[in-house]
Amino acid sequence: MKTKLYYAAMQMFAAILLMTACDKDDQPSIGQMQLATPVVTVNVDMNAQTITASWQAVEHADNYHYKISGDETLYKTGETRLELQPYSKFEGGSHSITVQAVSNAQPDLFSPSEWGKADFSVESTKLQAPDALNADVNKESCTVTVSWAPVANAASYLYKIDDGKEVPVSEPGISFSLFDYAPGEHSVSVKALAEGDAPTGRSASVKAVTAVASSDWSEVYTFTITDEPLPGMLGNKPLDHARLGDFYLNDGSLLRGDSELSAELADACIGIVFYAGRHETDQSDYTRPLTAGGPVLDSTVHGYAVSLTHVPTRLHDFYKPEDEPYINEWATYTRWCNALIQSEALIMEADNNTRIEHTKAYMGTIYNSYDDFNGYYNCMAMLEYIPATNHTCCEYPALMLAINYGKKSLGWKKTYYGIRESSAYGTSRGVKNLLVGMDVGDVCDWQLSLAAPQNSSGWFLPSYGQIRYAECAYWSDGYEYYESYGIWEFMDGQFEKVKNATTRDDLKEYIRAVYRYSPRESRDDPNHPGWIDSNIWRRRGIATSTEEEEYKAGRYYQMKYKACGGNAAEGPYVRPVLAF
């Protein structure tokens, strides 16, 4: 009985051993033969930057599995020689590769081999710092090109200018605009990156860092950007490189916005660039001049400039007809139709269609679009409207002031028409009046120094969108400040630079940014520098060529332009712009 129990126990123990053996992949099954273990060798070639692993082919094996230390991935190959690339996968120190022979064709006859292992070591090196730096400042192409000698085994590079931000590049060279940096001396240095430090990185499964360390920064190389004028021009910047804040000069050239203004250059400045390139909405035909013999611009628009001053006009005080007319840069009449004053019939409902024709004429693009740059287009439409409709009774003082800016001074006054009635205020009451032009003479001859050059569009009355860009600030009805303070402050500074440097003393008091330094202006909140205390000063508007139809009883003979907030006593002031 004891003998039978002994043999039964031995059989159960043998079965357990067999079951345990079957759980091991590397153990051959009954009837299988285990493949021989590969004998692996590794060759590290420091000069060629390669690591090669090889082994003798194992009989009956048709495939091999291998693993690399620091990498959890199981790789497969049918070869018996491998180049473990790139070399820079491996940090300096000891590593190993293990290889297993496998029979995919006859897995039932041959089980996988034991893992063969080979150790190897890698020396850590540092890339050579870039040298042979050179900078080519090309004024014809307006570029600066910096190059250096390629560094062996570098994956990419970093560069920094004036010890600023580190910027990655893949090739040993960079190129940037001549106008990216202010005139003067600048420095550049470069660093060669090993693959592990390159922005593209390498396989995330490789835990090792790198056997090749990135280089040190190169020696600093200096180059100089000069502020010399263009050949035959006052400016130093080609028109197709215009930027916000550049100075527009009276010879049709540009002066870079970061230039130091000499008295000569300040005297030559007639405007400030507020938009670079042709705006996508601008459908104007600049080959057609607004005034006879005036400036003509071809189809290429490099940008837009705004004038240094408002346009002064001569006004007659309606309530004090005995006084002499006065010069006022802050207010001008907008659109006026004398026919509606002279003809009682036009005022009566009996001729309602004619009255509406004169009061509701709409000739421009949409009046409240921030993105509409069709000021020139609108001005041309208004100029063509008068002869086309025989509406010689319609006056456009703001338009006339804008397109004649820099040529002559204009003015308008109201004259009484009809029977005068007295009033308690000593003025006319119920008396209609006409708007007529008057000779201003040489009172504002300082404007003549601001004439537009012949290779520009000439000055014109801007659209609503253009004047909004020119003032560099967007406002809501509640005077909420939208645009960034940085642009607002920068543009103000450009006008101040001209004002402080010019020798045109009669012009200095008029130079100001589009919506700054107004009389009785208040800035109580430093966080919103454009905020106005309406109890001290009411914000004045800016005349634009984009009309807003306004039809009210008793005022149907006058047409107001859309203004950038509020109204002046007689209407918004005029700030002309030009395209170049």
Side-chain angles (χ1 to χ4, degrees):
M1 185 65 180
K2 290 181 179 180
T3 301
K4 291 181 179 180
L5 290 174
Y6 172 77
Y7 282 113
M10 291 298 292
Q11 288 176 346
M12 292 179 63
F13 181 69
I16 291 173
L17 289 176
L18 182 61
M19 293 172 61
T20 304
C22 291
D23 289 340
K24 296 182 179 179
D25 294 335
D26 295 344
Q27 296 295 325
S29 300
I30 296 176
Q32 282 185 318
M33 179 183 293
Q34 188 172 26
L35 296 174
T37 302
V39 178
V40 187
T41 59
V42 177
N43 177 52
V44 179
D45 188 336
M46 185 66 183
N47 295 325
Q49 296 287 289
T50 59
I51 303 174
T52 305
S54 60
W55 53 92
Q56 293 292 328
V58 175
E59 188 178 9
H60 303 301
D62 54 26
N63 207 271
Y64 300 91
H65 297 169
Y66 67 94
K67 295 180 181 180
I68 302 172
S69 57
D71 189 345
E72 300 299 327
T73 305
L74 176 66
Y75 297 99
K76 300 178 181 181
T77 181
E79 305 296 328
T80 58
R81 185 179 183 278
L82 299 171
E83 287 191 7
L84 307 184
Q85 294 178 327
Y87 178 90
S88 57
K89 278 187 177 182
F90 303 95
E91 66 181 353
S94 299
H95 302 274
S96 64
I97 179 173
T98 55
V99 181
Q100 181 187 53
V102 178
S103 174
N104 290 331
Q106 297 176 301
D108 295 336
L109 297 178
F110 302 100
S111 63
S113 71
E114 298 286 349
W115 289 89
K117 181 180 179 182
D119 297 321
F120 60 95
S121 61
V122 172
E123 295 181 14
S124 179
T125 60
K126 180 181 286 189
L127 293 176
Q128 177 184 347
D131 58 11
L133 268 71
N134 181 64
D136 175 30
V137 180
N138 190 321
K139 289 202 168 184
E140 291 187 3
S141 63
C142 299
T143 58
V144 178
T145 302
V146 179
S147 59
W148 56 90
V151 175
N153 303 310
S156 60
Y157 303 89
L158 286 179
Y159 76 89
K160 56 183 178 181
I161 296 178
D162 298 334
D163 206 25
K165 180 181 178 182
E166 298 178 3
V167 182
V169 289
S170 58
E171 300 297 328
I174 57 173
S175 183
F176 51 88
S177 171
L178 183 67
F179 308 105
D180 286 346
Y181 298 92
E185 190 173 86
H186 299 275
S187 63
V188 58
S189 54
V190 185
K191 179 179 183 179
L193 297 181
E195 183 174 342
D197 292 334
T200 53
R202 54 190 170 79
S203 173
S205 64
V206 179
K207 294 182 179 179
V209 183
T210 178
V212 182
S214 295
S215 75
D216 296 325
W217 285 96
S218 69
E219 293 184 3
V220 173
Y221 180 86
T222 59
F223 62 95
T224 301
I225 295 177
T226 61
D227 205 13
E228 299 172 359
L230 294 172
M233 306 289 283
L234 286 168
N236 57 17
K237 193 174 187 182
L239 296 180
D240 55 356
H241 286 259
R243 286 188 181 176
L244 177 74
D246 284 345
F247 303 105
Y248 186 72
L249 308 184
N250 57 17
D251 66 345
S253 64
L254 284 181
L255 188 70
R256 52 187 300 158
D258 54 10
S259 296
E260 292 296 326
L261 281 182
S262 65
E264 178 187 12
L265 292 173
D267 288 346
C269 181
I270 62 174
I272 308 292
V273 174
F274 66 90
Y275 190 90
R278 182 167 192 152
H279 196 277
E280 60 181 5
T281 66
D282 188 358
Q283 57 182 314
S284 306
D285 180 4
Y286 294 102
T287 63
R288 303 171 60 203
L290 291 174
T291 58
V296 177
L297 180 66
D298 60 25
S299 57
T300 301
V301 177
H302 299 104
Y304 308 82
V306 62
S307 62
L308 295 179
T309 75
H310 309 314
V311 187
T313 183
R314 197 170 189 181
L315 299 178
H316 193 284
D317 193 334
F318 180 78
Y319 298 105
K320 297 179 180 179
E322 67 280 1
D323 290 354
E324 286 294 319
Y326 61 95
I327 300 298
N328 190 335
E329 63 175 304
W330 296 103
T332 186
Y333 300 111
T334 52
R335 180 184 171 195
W336 197 279
C337 182
N338 284 327
L340 299 182
I341 302 302
Q342 293 174 306
S343 175
E344 292 288 344
L346 293 182
I347 301 176
M348 306 302 293
E349 289 294 327
D351 199 3
N352 187 56
N353 291 336
T354 305
R355 175 171 56 83
I356 291 177
E357 179 185 346
H358 281 253
T359 60
K360 303 290 282 185
Y362 183 81
M363 295 156 294
T365 50
I366 184 168
Y367 71 85
N368 61 352
S369 171
Y370 292 157
D371 297 323
D372 177 27
F373 262 57
N374 282 292
Y376 195 90
Y377 173 89
N378 296 339
C379 290
M380 185 65 73
M382 280 188 281
L383 292 173
E384 293 177 341
Y385 168 77
I386 297 174
T389 59
N390 198 28
H391 285 179
T392 55
C393 53
C394 293
E395 298 279 357
Y396 297 90
L399 172 65
M400 292 297 108
L401 285 172
I403 65 177
N404 285 288
Y405 182 62
K407 298 178 183 177
K408 58 183 178 180
S409 300
L410 303 176
W412 280 266
K413 65 179 179 179
K414 294 177 183 177
T415 60
Y416 297 112
Y417 175 83
I419 300 174
R420 184 184 177 102
E421 296 179 10
S422 62
S423 71
Y425 300 101
T427 62
S428 62
R429 179 183 176 190
V431 175
K432 306 168 187 66
N433 51 81
L434 306 179
L435 186 66
V436 296
M438 63 180 178
D439 181 20
V440 174
D442 59 359
V443 178
C444 300
D445 272 358
W446 55 260
Q447 286 189 85
L448 301 180
S449 66
L450 303 174
Q454 287 297 313
N455 62 343
S456 72
S457 68
W459 297 108
F460 59 88
L461 196 61
S463 66
Y464 184 60
Q466 284 171 317
I467 206 63
R468 295 294 269 200
Y469 268 91
E471 77 168 349
C472 288
Y474 291 166
W475 298 77
S476 71
D477 292 338
Y479 301 111
E480 183 179 355
Y481 194 65
Y482 276 94
E483 192 61 67
S484 70
Y485 174 72
I487 294 178
W488 182 93
E489 186 180 47
F490 168 70
M491 287 294 286
D492 272 12
Q494 298 304 89
F495 283 94
E496 282 296 286
K497 286 174 70 173
V498 179
K499 186 173 184 177
N500 294 334
T502 185
T503 63
R504 297 170 292 184
D505 294 332
D506 54 349
L507 176 63
K508 279 189 175 184
E509 64 175 297
Y510 298 103
I511 297 177
R512 61 176 61 87
V514 178
Y515 191 66
R516 317 298 171 207
Y517 317 125
S518 304
R520 302 173 63 191
E521 184 175 349
S522 172
R523 296 191 185 104
D524 295 339
D525 185 353
N527 295 320
H528 299 278
W531 182 82
I532 302 300
D533 185 348
S534 59
N535 294 324
I536 299 176
W537 185 84
R538 186 176 182 185
R539 189 179 185 203
R540 295 182 183 274
I542 303 174
T544 73
S545 62
T546 315
E547 290 190 346
E548 178 184 18
E549 297 180 45
E550 181 178 299
Y551 173 60
K552 296 180 180 178
R555 293 184 58 82
Y556 44 75
Y557 55 84
Q558 189 171 3
M559 198 82 154
K560 289 281 188 183
Y561 288 116
K562 180 68 178 180
C564 297
N567 289 315
E570 298 291 350
Y573 62 82
V574 176
R575 191 63 175 246
V577 302
L578 60 73
F580 59 87

